[in-house]
Amino acid sequence: MLTTKQKVLRRFWYAVMPLSDLANGPRPFRLLDEDIVLFLGPDGSPAALRDRCCHRTAKLSRGWCKDGQIVCGYHGWTYDSTGKLVHVPQFPVQQEVPNLSTPAYHCQARYGYAWVALDEPLAPIFEVPEDSDPSFRYVPQFYEIWNTSALRMMENSFDNAHFAFVHQGTFGQADQPLPDKYEITETDYGFEAETLITVINPPIQHRISGTDAATTTRHMRNKWYMPFCRRLDIEYPSGLRHIIFNSATPIDDSHIQLVQWLYRNDTEEDCPAQLLNDWDYKITREDKDIIESTDYDTPIDVGRRAEANMVSDRPGMIMRKRLMKLLEDHGEAEVYRAA
């Protein structure tokens, strides 16, 4: 599936940029192969416009912000957060500003990020109860480009069979290749998947897991939010919760912006954020290295038999089935590269 060719994918919310990155002016981003610019409006809320001035097509992201509006760096034409042209400095004061605009996109601030949907969203951004729970702390983790597709990253997130091989350097048990099974319940937004796995517990993970035992268990209650977001909810026997959220935001067909943030029910003194990030960074490097070696054109129509499958692939197969139905429900067929 070539994500940029499937129009319905424009109707979902994607975490695009940390709000903190917008503090010093407009910033560019490419979402589903469309160039957009983000900036903060007069009330501090993020806004997203097409990154083109309607005068001479200069990138608005090369300009600056003034009073919550974006000023084109070429001729100073100024737009508000709805994309409407509000000021042309070359016009006399008495001359009316033309009724022109540049396209605006749906944009909201949630969980420390600006979220964007290019077309009318099919559903609201998912809720995160821990974000307003004082017993949990928020830890921003990663914001980086991966050379892969969003579906490759998502299905890997629910693939228990790769732990023993990909994660031998962190928590995987090389002598235990038989994957634990997920109990999966499909929902309107995707699915919920629960499992209990045994993992290696090296010294670096002792403060993270809350035990110094050689191995420990992870009770995982995870969620997949269509099309490319997930919740990884890990509970250790110590009672510690390690809850990761990801948005595999599609830049184009072969690149994603991997957005990851974390909630923990402990304190900075119990386990420093840097230790948490260092550990999760090491794990994600293992994933990144192998996922970037795969073909980004991930098939969703299993009838094409483009890839072999096994029983433990069930979460990914459900994703493919649901995405295929999504396309069909909106009058689309899977678009993929010709053989």
Side-chain angles (χ1 to χ4, degrees), residues 19-20 22-23 39-47 67-69 81 107-109 113-114:
L19 293 170
S20 57
L22 302 177
F39 64 101
L40 297 179
D43 63 352
S45 299
D67 300 327
Q69 298 173 334
S81 57
C107 189
Q108 289 186 14
Y113 292 88

Side-chain angles (χ1 to χ4, degrees), residues 18-255:
L19 293 170
S20 57
D21 284 9
L22 302 177
N24 296 319
R27 292 287 302 275
F29 191 86
R30 177 168 289 177
L31 177 60
L32 286 166
D33 218 19
E34 188 149 330
D35 289 326
I36 66 176
V37 58
L38 294 102
F39 64 101
L40 297 179
D43 63 352
S45 299
L49 308 178
R50 181 174 293 171
D51 197 7
R52 289 291 183 194
C53 177
C54 59
H55 174 226
R56 289 293 181 266
T57 72
K59 287 184 176 294
L60 293 172
S61 56
R62 301 289 180 88
W64 56 89
C65 289
K66 181 180 179 181
D67 300 327
Q69 298 173 334
I70 189 167
V71 181
C72 179
Y74 197 0
H75 294 95
W77 286 33
T78 304
Y79 301 83
D80 65 16
S81 57
T82 70
K84 180 177 175 56
L85 179 66
V86 295
H87 179 61
V88 177
Q90 292 80 18
F91 286 7
V93 174
Q94 66 271 22
Q95 185 171 345
E96 186 176 349
V97 175
N99 184 24
L100 298 173
S101 62
T102 192
Y105 305 104
H106 304 271
C107 189
Q108 289 186 14
R110 295 293 293 273
Y111 317 129
Y113 292 88
W115 293 68
V116 175
L118 296 178
D119 290 337
E120 185 65 30
L122 290 174
I125 301 171
F126 54 84
E127 293 296 324
V128 179
E130 293 78 13
D131 194 65
S132 57
D133 186 338
S135 65
F136 285 86
R137 58 178 166 137
Y138 170 91
V139 181
Q141 291 203 292
F142 313 125
Y143 181 74
E144 56 193 25
I145 294 175
W146 285 25
N147 301 323
T148 188
S149 66
L151 184 53
R152 286 292 185 206
M153 189 273 164
M154 278 293 106
E155 68 176 4
N156 176 78
S157 301
F158 292 86
D159 176 12
N160 284 350
H162 81 283
F163 295 160
F165 303 94
V166 175
H167 297 301
Q168 292 185 46
T170 50
F171 65 88
Q173 300 186 90
D175 60 344
Q176 299 291 332
L178 190 64
D180 295 283
K181 182 181 178 182
Y182 271 115
E183 294 296 329
I184 298 177
T185 303
E186 293 195 49
T187 64
D188 57 346
Y189 58 79
F191 62 65
E192 299 177 358
E194 185 170 358
T195 189
L196 188 68
I197 67 171
T198 301
V199 298
I200 291 174
N201 189 44
I204 189 177
Q205 195 186 207
H206 289 176
R207 294 175 74 179
I208 297 171
S209 64
T211 178
D212 58 4
T215 63
T216 188
T217 58
R218 289 178 171 181
H219 187 181
M220 302 200 299
R221 306 177 186 89
N222 304 335
K223 294 182 179 182
W224 171 54
Y225 303 98
M226 293 178 63
F228 307 130
C229 289
R230 68 113 178 209
R231 173 189 174 108
L232 170 61
D233 186 345
I234 299 170
E235 183 173 4
Y236 292 101
S238 62
L240 286 176
R241 299 274 298 284
H242 191 89
I243 306 173
I244 288 172
F245 283 87
N246 286 117
S247 175
T249 300
I251 296 172
D252 54 31
D253 291 325
S254 59
H255 299 85

Side-chain angles (χ1 to χ4, degrees), residues 11-24:
R11 300 187 63 184
F12 289 89
W13 290 101
Y14 303 101
V16 165
M17 188 172 294
L19 293 170
S20 57
D21 284 9
L22 302 177
N24 296 319

